[in-house]
């Protein structure tokens, strides 16, 4: 569900042949669906499952287990590997930049709500 007040929590990584190497966020990220991660939130606090299914969402990218943390790491392309926290931090950084552009000054603090169904590991 999209609106002017909401932004998709999606990040797309640059194609290896892309000379600029820019990450894309929101709707722009979904223009390259084979390189996009849309539901990084589902990986928070999740143990790795076979088949790439986490909650109702499927991840076409490779997902490896981080044995030291008993968590998942997503591999969007060869040579790149990101934790769920890193994926969500990328999206939050993008949201912060969008908020700063909107209000016209630096944003130093915010409130992040956590869904009620999140457990301790996901929080």
């Amino acid at each position: 569900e999209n609106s002017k007040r909401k932004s998709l929590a999606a990040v797309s990584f640059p194609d290896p042949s892309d000379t600029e190497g820019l990450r894309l966020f929101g709707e722009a990220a979904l223009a390259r669906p084979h390189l996009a991660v849309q539901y990084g939130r589902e990986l928070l606090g999740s143990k790795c499952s076979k088949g790439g299914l986490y909650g109702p969402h499927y991840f076409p990218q490779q997902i490896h287990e981080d044995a030291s943390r008993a968590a998942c790491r997503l591999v969007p392309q060869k040579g790149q590997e990101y934790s769920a926290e890193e994926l969500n931090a990328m999206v939050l950084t993008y949201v912060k930049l969008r908020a700063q552009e909107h209000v016209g000054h630096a944003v130093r603090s915010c409130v992040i709500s956590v869904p009620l169904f999140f457990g301790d590991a996901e929080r």
Side-chain angles (χ1 to χ4, degrees):
E1 179 179 326
N2 293 335
S3 75
K4 290 182 180 180
R5 295 182 50 148
K6 292 183 181 179
S7 180
L8 287 173
V11 58
S12 174
F13 298 95
D15 193 320
S17 64
D18 186 2
T19 56
E20 291 183 26
L22 298 174
R23 289 185 195 145
L24 299 176
F25 294 91
E27 288 183 33
L30 297 182
R32 303 187 298 195
H34 63 292
L35 300 172
V37 178
Q38 187 172 4
Y39 299 102
R41 174 181 86 181
E42 297 294 332
L43 296 175
L44 288 170
S46 297
K47 295 190 184 293
C48 286
S49 73
K50 295 187 179 185
L53 189 63
Y54 294 86
H57 307 292
Y58 170 74
F59 289 85
Q61 298 88 358
Q62 293 180 17
I63 296 178
H64 296 279
E65 183 175 1
D66 183 351
S68 65
R69 297 177 49 230
C72 299
R73 294 189 65 81
L74 187 115
V75 182
Q77 299 172 21
K78 189 175 183 178
Q80 296 178 337
E81 195 169 312
Y82 301 101
S83 69
E85 294 85 0
E86 289 171 318
L87 292 170
N88 285 288
M90 290 175 200
V91 172
L92 289 173
T93 301
Y94 167 72
V95 171
K96 178 183 175 184
L97 292 173
R98 294 272 317 259
Q100 289 177 160
E101 288 174 6
H102 182 72
V103 298
H105 58 80
V107 173
R108 293 197 178 98
S109 60
C110 72
V111 174
I112 299 175
S113 62
V114 179
L116 184 60
F117 56 85
F118 268 25
D120 287 340
E122 295 146 323
R123 292 171 194 244

